[in-house]
Amino acid sequence: GFLPLNSAVTFATDAGQRSVRLEGIVGIPYLNIDNELLNRDMGLVERGVVTRHRIPLKNTASHVIEVTVTVTPDPADAEMGIFVFEATTPTPTLQPDEAQAVELTAKVTDVQHKHFATFLIRSAEGETYWGSLSVEGGCAVMSFDSLQPALSPEGMLPDASNEEMTSPAEAAAGRIAARTAGGRAGRRR
């Protein structure tokens, strides 16, 4: 982005030449980018899944603007050869009043590790926008409730009829005895 020119720039030197060359653009930026979209935590993303963040760009100039986007991974990731983030633009040039979006993608290959990167969107006229990205690799964790009745700490099951605790063997014997007694009663002659 651009900073307002509301203060003077001074240089102090003891070198032989007393002039300094400065370059810059004075005026409204031609490249229109929402600054709120420049820093993004992409959150927890499943390993191997691609997540995307789009940043709309608009050329407000009356001439063509060339745009470059570069992504620089965190030095620790770069040192290990891990490149999680990529940036793409539909075309490197924006026609007058044209809008397109830079697409930043992340694809993690590990879990429980947060990755960081900075990116730079720059026009040939010198407009510069810095941003940051982060993403963490994750995986789904599933838990199932037991299909067996839960045992008390003593290894006993509650008896549904009177809330007394019985052992699993006693509970099973009681259910078998109840079924057997009911079956015999029905077969009497």
Side-chain angles (χ1 to χ4, degrees):
F2 288 95
L3 300 175
L5 296 175
N6 56 4
S7 60
V9 178
T10 38
F11 295 94
T13 180
D14 59 358
Q17 188 171 359
R18 296 185 179 204
S19 63
V20 176
R21 181 177 169 188
L22 296 176
E23 292 183 22
I25 300 171
V26 177
I28 298 172
Y30 295 133
L31 194 55
N32 186 351
I33 298 176
D34 184 353
N35 286 330
E36 290 183 18
L37 298 175
L38 293 177
N39 299 301
R40 178 60 54 130
D41 180 1
M42 295 175 156
L44 186 65
V45 177
E46 185 178 347
R47 179 178 46 198
V49 173
V50 175
T51 186
R52 292 172 169 71
H53 175 57
R54 294 172 53 90
I55 300 176
L57 313 173
K58 182 165 183 174
N59 179 359
T60 61
S62 58
H63 61 278
V64 174
I65 293 180
E66 290 184 34
V67 177
T68 58
V69 181
T70 55
V71 177
T72 306
D74 181 63
D77 283 351
E79 188 175 295
M80 294 181 356
I82 300 172
F83 300 98
V84 172
F85 300 98
E86 290 183 3
T88 57
T89 55
T91 63
T93 58
L94 285 166
Q95 298 298 319
D97 206 37
E98 179 184 6
Q100 60 174 270
V102 169
E103 185 171 82
L104 300 160
T105 59
K107 182 177 181 182
V108 293
T109 57
D110 56 2
V111 295
Q112 297 181 344
H113 180 88
K114 193 148 190 173
H115 299 278
F116 300 92
T118 56
F119 64 91
L120 171 68
I121 301 172
R122 185 180 182 104
S123 73
E125 284 79 15
E127 294 179 67
T128 304
Y129 295 87
W130 286 97
S132 63
L133 298 168
S134 62
V135 67
E136 184 173 357
C139 62
V141 176
M142 297 171 39
S143 64
F144 297 95
D145 289 334
S146 173
L147 299 178
Q148 299 294 323
L151 296 176
S152 70
E154 296 83 28
M156 305 296 273
L157 294 169
D159 183 352
S161 62
N162 61 9
E163 296 298 323
E164 290 182 17
M165 299 300 275
T166 58
S167 71
E170 290 170 340
R175 284 191 297 271
I176 293 170
R179 277 186 268 158
T180 307
R184 286 187 186 146
R187 283 192 243 153
R188 286 191 181 164
R189 297 179 196 199

